[in-house]
Structures are given as C-alpha cells and as structure tokens.
Amino acid sequence: MTHQTEIDQLYTEYALAAFAKQHVLSYFNGKYLLPITKQPPAQMDWQTGNLKFDNGFTTQAQCMGRFDDQGMWHWAWADETLPESLRQDALALKAYGEQHHINCFRQPELPITWQQCEQLATIVAVLCDADAYHIEQKRKLPESGNRVFTLRQPELAAVWQDNSRGFHSHIIAEFSYYHQYVADKRAPYRQAVAAYLTQQGYDVQQDGSNLSARRGDDVLHYVFDENGRAHNCWDFDKQKNGAPVLSDVCEVLPQMQLYPDIKDVFQAQQASWLGKHLLPCFTLDLAALRPDWVGRKIHMLLPCEPEEGYIGEATEAAHNEFCSINWLAWRLDEQNLCEFLASEAYFQAACEPDNDSLQEHIAAQHDTFQSYRAEREANGKDDETVLINRLGGKIQEGNWTCDPPLPTAFACDTNAEYYRSENSRQNGIKLLQQQIDGTDAVRISYQGKPFYFICSSSG
C-alpha cells in the first residue's frame, strides 16, 4: 500500500474527530469567524514547549514534523536537532506505525502535497490523543519548513471531550459545510460520518442511502445522495418530544408545495406588485414541525433585489417600525395569505424604474426562476438541489442580527457583542457552548410574544 493510500484511509477514519478538536480551538483563539483552514499566528517557545497564539491563549506543544519547499515531509522523530522532550508524540506515532504496519509513520521522509500535510496533521492529532493541532503557514518557507504541532490544553479537552448528542450533531453539521465548501471533498463524507459516530459509541446502521446512529435514546439519521453528500439529516432530540431538526433537504416533503401561485401567497390587494419583487419558492405546512400547527402555512420568498448590498438599503424613506434594512415583516391572515407590512416603496425597483441595470437584474432573476420551475416540473424529482438548508431548531445568528439593527417593533437579544469583541476567547467559548447546548443565539419577540425559527433556504 502506498503512503498516499495510507494517508487517505486514515484521514477518512479520523477527519471528524480531528475536526471537532480544531473547531473548539477556533473558538478559543478568538478566530471563530475565520474558515478553519486559516491557522492563526502563533509563536513556539522551544525552551518551554509552549505555543502561544496572538490572543495570548497558550498550549503545550509537541513537534510532529515539517513540510519543506521541495514537497517533502520530515518526521520529527528522525530530527535529533530537536529536544527529545518535544518529540515524544512523534516517537509514539512511529512506534504505533511499527506495531500496526503503517509505513508512512515509519519512513523518516515522505514526498507529499500540502493537502496531505494537512491530512497528516489531522491524523496525528487523533492518534496521539492531542487536544488540537497547529500548522505553521508562512508565505515564504524558512529553511526549517512549515512545522506541524500537536497541542494539549485542559480547557480545550474539557470541551471537545463532550460526549453529548448535541455536540456530535453540531460537529457533523459544521463538518458538512467544511467538507462541501472548504476542504474540497478530501474525505468520503459518508464514511467519515460513520467512522466518527462509531468512535463516539453509536450503533451505526447503513441501508442503501440511509445511515442511522443510535446510542440509548439519542438518534441521528442521515440520507446521502449518489455523490455521498448528506441530505435530509434528522437530529432527534428526546428532550424535545422527538421533534426532528432537518438539514440539507432535497426531497419535497409531504407538507411542502413547490412554486405556489402568487394568489395563494399574497393578499389580493398586494399580489400584483409583490409578485414583481418577490418570487414564491415553496409553501410549507407547519405540521412539518409541530402537529398542533397543522393547517398553518408559511411561504419561502426569494427577493429579486438588490444587485448588491442589503435589501431595503436604498429605500430608507419607506422604512417603518416593521420593515427596515435587511428585514421584511408580514402578517399571516386566517387564509394563510401574507400581508406585507410596508408599502411598495420599500423595494428599490419600484422607486427607480429608470435604473436600467437594476431592472435588467430583476428581469434576469424572473427568467432564471421560471426556467428552474419549468425544469423541475418537466423532470420531477431533483436530488441535487437543496430546498431547505435547515428546518426547525434554534434561531441562529447571521449578518442580519449584528448590523443594521432590527425594526423598532421587535425586541431582539443576540450575541452580537461576541462578534464585535476582537480576539475574545471568553466570548468565543460562550458562543460555542450555546451552539452545542441548542440555546437560542438570537431571541426575538413582538409585544412579548417569542418568534420561532421555521426554516432557512439559500437563494
């Protein structure tokens, strides 16, 4: 077996376990808004073995090896210029490789790519039972190359060793984004999820495209498409009466109606002009979330504007207590029809009929929408398009909770100060814990009545 094959197989086995450690570290070092592949600056003290991040967070570190500018990996266990006290993890890994006949751990040098260097960092963090890893990322490689370190810090361990369903569900959801958009699909996602859940003590069963994991009363269920991507991810929380939280939903749920007519979405007196500015994607019966909400229906709408920036940003004169920048509000009547709580002047296109660029943009939006609609109706099932990114669960933060402020009719309590606090480790830890626990990151109410999160969908 080649070392490339060994690295690929081990990475698939341990990708999620290492991701959990790195995800926790990203909150501790105050860089939790950055993609996890962007390593924050850190300084290594070779005398004490301490690695210190730029926000002051300090960990014990072991050197695992270095990646040079010739594409060669050099294991630290073979580098006698380094103190032996800082090579203990590397030496232990070499012994593990000899015991389990893993050649890539036993060869002092390996020709690898930068991607494989990152994969090795992932693997060693788990096999050495470290709390995280760190990769030097220097624009110009010094003579020593970019080094990889395993990290140990009790505060980190206390979080990533959380064996709760909430933590595992959170990690898998975050890794789904990382895998799809950041990591360029380095690991077969389905196998990585199965390996991680097995390591966490779940009984994992796979049947066709379905993967179910059960550990006592904790149940997680995923449906994978033919490309191995996870869709229709059920997270059953027994403490919430078994109410499922779904993510990446591609199939049309029984409670959904795709592409409803505008007359079934908007009140008659507004339908003629709202249909110019908003495209109805689907209608959802709230029985999908709670049986006692059966018959109440909400509508997922796609705004046609702006070309760039936030909706409502160019029409402040039309704002009121209900509608402002990046915030539209509706009243749902007894017939499940929407009444928009502002005038048509809220929409830039209505105020700038001579803005050719904007009008062309909106026309293109309508054309694209109708094209998708016609294709869906002609071909039926579409397993590739994600209809709902997340259904149910807690209100999560986004750019709309930080700036600009919500309209005055609504009371909103958020964790926005966490994002505004530069390099705040304490705030990052609190934010991560809220996400793990399922605590509402955003709490919105109108006249004392709380808002509930229904679903989210990408435009």
Side-chain angles (χ1 to χ4, degrees):
M1 184 184 300
T2 66
H3 68 267
Q4 290 95 339
T5 301
E6 287 180 327
I7 292 172
D8 287 342
Q9 290 183 355
L10 289 166
Y11 180 72
T12 299
E13 184 77 11
Y14 299 117
L16 265 108
F19 177 83
K21 300 168 187 272
Q22 293 304 103
H23 186 66
V24 172
L25 175 64
S26 72
Y27 283 81
F28 270 74
N29 63 38
K31 297 295 184 181
Y32 43 86
L33 287 181
L34 295 176
I36 203 165
T37 51
K38 292 184 179 180
Q39 300 280 324
Q43 294 293 325
M44 178 64 179
D45 186 331
W46 293 95
Q47 298 299 318
T48 64
N50 288 334
L51 187 137
K52 184 177 181 180
F53 291 95
D54 61 352
N55 73 331
F57 183 59
T58 303
T59 73
Q60 282 285 309
Q62 289 270 308
C63 183
M64 296 304 299
R66 61 185 176 90
F67 179 72
D68 69 21
D69 59 355
Q70 302 300 311
M72 291 295 293
W73 170 260
H74 306 266
W75 284 110
W77 57 258
D79 187 352
E80 295 185 357
T81 66
L82 296 175
E84 186 171 339
S85 61
L86 301 182
R87 296 187 288 141
Q88 292 303 302
D89 277 358
L91 289 166
L93 192 71
K94 178 175 182 282
Y96 181 90
E98 291 172 344
Q99 179 182 359
H100 296 276
H101 309 290
I102 302 174
N103 290 327
C104 64
F105 294 164
R106 299 187 289 176
Q107 300 176 20
E109 297 179 348
L110 299 170
I112 63 173
T113 64
W114 175 253
Q115 175 176 307
Q116 289 170 332
C117 174
E118 293 180 317
Q119 290 175 312
L120 276 177
T122 293
I123 295 164
V124 301
V126 178
L127 290 180
C128 293
D129 197 28
D131 297 325
Y133 64 83
H134 178 72
I135 307 175
E136 291 180 323
Q137 292 188 339
K138 301 174 181 177
R139 296 180 67 87
K140 293 184 178 180
L141 288 173
E143 184 177 346
S144 62
N146 281 341
R147 296 191 186 274
V148 173
F149 300 92
T150 51
L151 310 180
R152 285 180 175 80
Q153 216 281 351
E155 289 183 86
L156 289 174
V159 179
W160 73 258
Q161 289 176 355
D162 181 350
N163 201 25
S164 68
R165 179 203 56 79
F167 180 75
H168 302 317
S169 175
H170 173 73
I171 290 301
I172 291 172
E174 291 294 318
F175 186 79
S176 175
Y177 172 85
Y178 172 78
H179 176 267
Q180 185 171 356
Y181 298 106
V182 180
D184 196 25
K185 302 176 178 59
R186 298 176 189 180
Y189 182 61
R190 178 173 178 170
Q191 293 94 312
V193 170
Y196 175 72
L197 290 173
T198 300
Q199 292 158 15
Q200 308 311 317
Y202 284 83
D203 177 21
V204 177
Q205 300 293 328
Q206 300 189 58
D207 180 15
S209 61
N210 294 276
L211 183 152
S212 295
R214 181 181 294 274
R215 189 184 61 185
D217 287 339
D218 296 341
V219 181
L220 296 167
H221 183 77
Y222 299 89
V223 178
F224 294 84
D225 65 17
E226 59 185 10
N227 297 315
R229 295 182 303 177
H231 296 304
N232 300 4
C233 309
W234 281 266
D235 177 0
F236 290 95
D237 187 342
K238 294 298 181 181
Q239 295 180 349
K240 298 184 178 65
N241 301 317
V245 176
L246 282 71
S247 59
D248 295 334
V249 178
C250 287
E251 69 179 62
V252 180
L253 300 176
Q255 301 88 353
M256 287 176 65
Q257 177 193 352
L258 287 186
Y259 306 118
D261 193 281
I262 59 171
K263 67 178 177 59
D264 298 320
V265 175
F266 305 121
Q267 291 187 348
Q269 64 270 27
Q270 295 182 333
S272 60
W273 53 268
L274 280 174
K276 300 176 184 177
H277 309 294
L278 298 158
L279 301 170
C281 299
F282 61 80
T283 295
L284 178 71
D285 191 308
L286 296 184
L289 285 179
R290 285 177 46 171
D292 56 324
W293 286 352
V294 65
R296 295 301 284 167
K297 300 177 181 180
I298 56 93
H299 312 284
M300 180 60 72
L301 306 172
L302 176 66
C304 296
E305 60 177 68
E307 289 185 271
E308 59 182 25
Y310 294 143
I311 190 168
E313 198 168 25
T315 58
E316 290 194 33
H319 295 182
N320 58 28
E321 62 177 325
F322 297 107
C323 298
S324 63
I325 298 175
N326 212 23
W327 183 272
L328 291 76
W330 310 82
R331 185 181 69 84
L332 195 67
D333 67 19
E334 294 301 318
Q335 287 73 46
N336 294 314
L337 298 176
C338 290
E339 176 191 358
F340 183 50
L341 300 182
S343 68
E344 188 179 9
Y346 176 86
F347 298 99
Q348 184 181 0
C351 302
E352 301 178 17
D354 297 326
N355 184 333
D356 292 340
S357 177
L358 176 60
Q359 298 299 333
E360 289 174 3
H361 169 77
I362 290 176
Q365 291 283 83
H366 277 265
D367 289 344
T368 301
F369 183 80
Q370 294 303 328
S371 175
Y372 274 116
R373 179 176 182 172
E375 182 178 353
R376 184 87 186 206
E377 291 175 346
N379 298 329
K381 186 177 181 181
D382 178 2
D383 290 330
E384 293 295 319
T385 302
V386 175
L387 301 174
I388 299 177
N389 296 99
R390 190 167 63 95
L391 174 66
K394 299 295 184 178
I395 305 175
Q396 297 181 342
E397 289 187 280
N399 56 7
W400 60 276
T401 65
C402 302
D403 185 46
L406 269 61
T408 58
F410 308 105
C412 182
D413 178 24
T414 77
N415 297 324
E417 67 272 14
Y418 295 164
Y419 293 98
R420 296 193 180 105
S421 300
E422 183 71 11
N423 295 334
S424 174
R425 175 162 62 97
Q426 291 75 21
N427 287 340
I429 297 168
K430 291 178 183 177
L431 181 59
L432 174 61
Q433 199 60 56
Q434 284 190 330
Q435 293 176 346
I436 294 170
D437 294 341
T439 305
D440 277 314
V442 182
R443 297 157 291 280
I444 307 173
S445 62
Y446 172 64
Q447 296 182 347
K449 299 178 180 180
F451 277 50
Y452 295 90
F453 176 78
I454 303 301
C455 64
S456 63
S457 181
S458 302

